[in-house]
Amino acid sequence: MTKWARELGLEHSEHPIRLDISKLTVVAETPNGRTPLSRMGSGENWVGYHLVTYLALAKWFIEQQRHVGRFIFFVQPTQVYFPSNPPITGEIREIVKDEDREAVKKLFKWIFNIVSELTPNLQIIITEHADIDEEWFQSAIADTKWRGDDALIPKHWYE
């Protein structure tokens, strides 16, 4: 968990990070004592530590050959990053250096690396609004992008 928290650049990751099973929370073992997840800063840290924890548990179950489901379903893990202040024309691509967009790309690249490490033993399914216009991301989209008339529930069902 510590290694992955550092890869994501999460607050307190310079200290050992672990799951406190007795309190069912993530803690950082700092020189001043334990710092629980509830005191670890922003929503970005909370989401990051939840992802780290879920994936660390999945990896542990796989390595221990435990009979636990081998898929994780995440819903909008990037929600804490959006919306950013839109540029004047409304084209998000006009933002050259947007920290939130860079953090989103970093988060997805990290998830992709973990899945690659644990393939074929783990599948991650993500429903997400963020859309990174790069081949590595676009190639992972398994369904039609739900925009306009393309939706989970087709309009003709309820019209």
Side-chain angles (χ1 to χ4, degrees):
M1 290 179 67
T2 304
K3 175 183 178 268
W4 289 349
R6 288 178 182 163
E7 288 174 3
L8 289 174
L10 302 177
E11 289 181 36
H12 299 284
S13 63
E14 69 275 13
H15 307 293
I17 304 296
R18 68 179 183 82
L19 177 62
D20 182 340
I21 298 294
S22 65
K23 296 187 179 178
L24 287 178
T25 191
V26 173
V27 296
E29 297 291 349
T30 72
N32 299 321
R34 293 182 180 141
T35 300
L37 181 61
S38 62
R39 292 192 352 227
M40 286 194 199
S42 68
E44 178 180 6
N45 286 304
W46 295 342
V47 168
Y49 278 116
H50 278 87
L51 293 172
V52 165
T53 302
Y54 277 110
L55 294 173
L57 286 169
K59 182 176 180 179
W60 187 85
F61 289 135
I62 290 166
E63 290 173 346
Q64 301 300 312
Q65 299 178 359
R66 300 290 195 232
H67 297 288
V68 175
R70 299 293 173 96
F71 73 93
I72 303 173
F73 193 98
F74 293 126
V75 177
Q76 290 184 285
T78 65
Q79 189 173 6
V80 297
Y81 298 101
F82 291 102
S84 293
N85 293 329
I88 294 169
T89 66
E91 285 290 324
I92 197 76
R93 290 186 180 108
E94 288 183 351
I95 299 174
V96 176
K97 185 118 175 129
D98 181 323
E99 292 175 8
D100 285 345
R101 289 192 66 77
E102 291 304 313
V104 167
K105 284 170 65 172
K106 182 179 182 179
L107 178 69
F108 274 108
K109 283 185 176 185
W110 177 78
I111 291 171
F112 277 46
N113 289 338
I114 302 305
V115 171
S116 292
E117 177 185 334
L118 299 176
T119 294
N121 297 309
L122 180 66
Q123 178 183 21
I124 296 180
I125 301 165
I126 302 174
T127 58
E128 181 60 67
H129 290 290
D131 189 11
I132 301 169
D133 191 19
E134 294 188 23
E135 173 57 28
W136 62 268
F137 186 87
Q138 295 297 316
S139 67
I141 297 173
D143 197 359
T144 302
K145 293 180 186 178
W146 295 344
R147 304 282 191 270
D149 289 336
D150 292 323
L152 175 61
I153 300 172
K155 281 185 178 182
H156 71 274
W157 285 14
Y158 58 85
E159 286 183 335

